[in-house]
Amino acid sequence: MCGIVGYVGPRESLDILMGGLARLEYRGYDSAGVAVIDDEGQIETRKRAGKLKVLREDLERHPLSDGHTGIGHTRWATHGGPTDANAHPHLADDGKLAVIHNGIIENFAELKTELVELGYTFQSETDTEVAAVMIGHVYREVGSLEQAFRAVVRRLDGAFTLLAVHANEPGLVVGARLNSPLVIGLGDGENFLGSDVAAFVEYTPRALAVGQEQIVLVRPDSVEITTFDGEPATAEAFEVSWDASAAEKGGWPSFMAKEIDEDPEAVANTLRGRIVEGRVVLPDLDALGDDFFNDIHRIIIVACGTAAYSAQVGAYAMEKWARVPVQVELAHEFRYRDPVLDSRTLIVSMSQSGETMDTLMAVRYAMSRGAKTLSICNTQGATIPRESDAVVYTHAGPEVAVASTKAFLAQITALYLLGIYTATVRGTMTDERREELLTEFQTIPEKVRTVLGVRERIHELANWMADTRSVLYLGRNVGYPIALEGALKLKEIAYIHAEGFAAGELKHGPIALIEPGQPVFVIVPSPRHDDTLHPKIVSNIQEIRARGARVLAICEVGDAAVLPYADEVIAVPPTEPFFEPLLAVVPLQIFAIELATAKGLDVDQPRNLAKSVTVE
């Protein structure tokens, strides 16, 4: 959740820190702060509750001195409310030590009791200050930031990334990682630390992913990595595939608007290079091998929130194509129900950030039970793909808005590729059918672009519905998780009640919610497909329309059967049944952002939410 940035080098560190924190705002936060070792060898800090602009305005009124070593932080409150006192950095050792922290230190209470008995007092309610005071206490005994830092982190339980600087040791930032993300940016004569590569991508694309239970010592001309026990360690090197401009608005009114416009590219980039001569090519799956895919008897997809809905869409297709049972589990429930797993079970984890703690813990649980794990992720160097047996990256590019949009389409795309790949290996799909699907798949980016053209009409609808207090969504088959995702988007950014249902459930209870004027989005499957879904959902539309609902139908161009019963029709191009979700979800994304905008809300940083949920 929290944003972390550190810098050592020849530049003015405050500029680096504030720029990095600005690019990490998407993670969600309610206070911000910086600490700089100035040229006189003193630590200067400034921290304020509220958005980064509050801190920036304070720094403009009361500038910090120049310095070339510093750390910065955006905090999402856990222990203690969002106040100036609880904001990071926290100081210790008479103001000579500064510490910032992402995560939760579970044993902070007992450590705090120990320090109080030694005569220390505290200025905040946070667990972080406990770590800072303890590091300062040990520093007074050993006189080395590295030794003090190492001694303390070995005593901490929970999930944390810690960064620290000491006035006596300018030119050094130390960091530690346990169950929380930390990456190193490698520059020329300067180095960076961040909770995400966005913190430093403006300055370097070269990065190292810090491993579990590792400590880093970062100086301008060197990076040293060890285990908590002091043994030398290595980190995985990678190149960031996008530049800083990809994480900027570039003229769009919001990051979310920009990212919805990037839906087509998210699909296209995830497909790029993976369809070759009528086959799906996923070299990263070589680590598992064709024999494993032939032998698996079950696939379980673990995910949370939007990723779980993309998983549900993918599960329909994967089970149909590969003829292997596929189920979707909420990651935060998965390991607590003692699921039956073995070496023939494939656990597929879905996480845009690759740092979702509930999903990470589900992956670790699965591995401890002998299951194989495959990560579908949008972030290079993230923890979940590094700890999984294999990975399929989605290549959606940086997604800054808290509410996921383009990453959702990219996740479905990756799951479909995995499904077709698995079906090919298992021999459950003919060559003709595979080539037919892949040919159509490659047309989807352009069809998504066509759907974006409905924005103006949806803008009108959203303005008309700005005072709406509840919206319902109905779908069947792959349309059902799209209904769930549409409702989630509206809840996330417009703060109104929204609920998605499987349309067949109407008569089993939800139809009691229908009253005159109730807006209901209905995701309508194509009438061209040889199944009974289309006439059944038209019957559902008739049922709710008869009770006064205002029906907004998302259906295929030319679907005449819907026209007499829908108050509004949003038409999408025709495509294969399993590709329809990639088109149908786009109007729902647009509706959510347009309604939230009509209500005057911040669509990029909705209240109480964070982009990357790095605690359970």
Side-chain angles (χ1 to χ4, degrees), residues 271-294:
L271 290 176
R272 184 166 290 115
R274 288 168 166 170
I275 299 175
V276 180
E277 297 179 353
R279 300 177 71 88
V280 172
V281 177
L282 296 171
D284 290 331
L285 300 190
D286 291 346
L288 294 173
D290 287 357
D291 288 345
F292 171 74
F293 282 95
N294 265 315

Side-chain angles (χ1 to χ4, degrees), residues 462-593:
N463 278 289
W464 166 75
M465 296 172 64
D467 295 330
T468 297
R469 299 182 62 184
S470 175
V471 180
L472 304 181
Y473 297 76
L474 299 179
R476 283 181 177 267
N477 196 266
V478 289
Y480 169 43
I482 295 303
L484 296 173
E485 170 63 9
L488 177 62
K489 282 293 144 299
L490 202 60
K491 284 182 276 194
E492 285 180 312
I493 64 171
Y495 314 151
I496 66 173
H497 172 263
E499 195 165 354
F501 297 103
E505 281 290 292
L506 271 175
K507 295 193 207 58
H508 299 280
I511 201 167
L513 295 171
I514 303 301
E515 60 187 10
Q518 171 66 56
V520 183
F521 278 94
V522 184
I523 295 89
V524 182
S526 170
R528 300 177 298 109
H529 304 315
D530 186 20
D531 55 38
T532 60
L533 287 178
H534 184 267
K536 286 185 180 297
I537 209 159
V538 171
S539 295
N540 295 139
I541 292 173
Q542 292 172 310
E543 289 168 350
I544 61 173
R545 179 72 179 279
R547 289 159 176 81
R550 182 174 179 84
V551 177
L552 303 99
I554 299 175
C555 62
E556 185 178 293
V557 170
D559 187 348
V562 173
L563 296 179
Y565 310 110
D567 295 281
E568 298 288 344
V569 171
I570 300 166
V572 300
T575 189
E576 284 279 341
F578 285 122
F579 298 148
E580 288 171 358
L582 293 164
L583 307 181
V585 75
V586 177
L588 302 183
Q589 294 175 345
I590 297 171
F591 176 72
I593 189 174

Side-chain angles (χ1 to χ4, degrees), residues 438-458:
L438 293 178
T439 298
E440 177 62 17
F441 210 168
Q442 292 176 93
T443 71
I444 294 301
E446 192 55 39
K447 290 182 177 180
V448 172
R449 195 177 309 281
T450 298
V451 179
L452 288 171
V454 305
R455 177 177 281 109
E456 187 56 38
R457 178 57 186 143
I458 295 177

Side-chain angles (χ1 to χ4, degrees), residues 302-305 308 329-337 356-359 362 616:
V302 293
C304 304
E329 297 268 1
L330 293 172
H332 42 78
E333 294 290 329
F334 174 68
R335 65 192 178 103
Y336 296 108
R337 65 174 190 79
T356 308
M357 183 56 64
D358 292 305
T359 306
E616 288 188 275

Side-chain angles (χ1 to χ4, degrees), residues 245-265 401 406 449 452 455 593-594 597 603-604:
S245 64
E248 297 173 355
K249 290 181 186 177
W252 278 266
S254 65
F255 281 109
M256 188 175 179
K258 175 177 182 283
E259 287 154 14
I260 291 172
D261 269 4
E262 292 171 345
D263 280 345
E265 286 76 18
K406 65 177 181 175
R449 195 177 309 281
L452 288 171
R455 177 177 281 109
I593 189 174
E594 292 292 345
T597 301
V603 299
D604 286 338

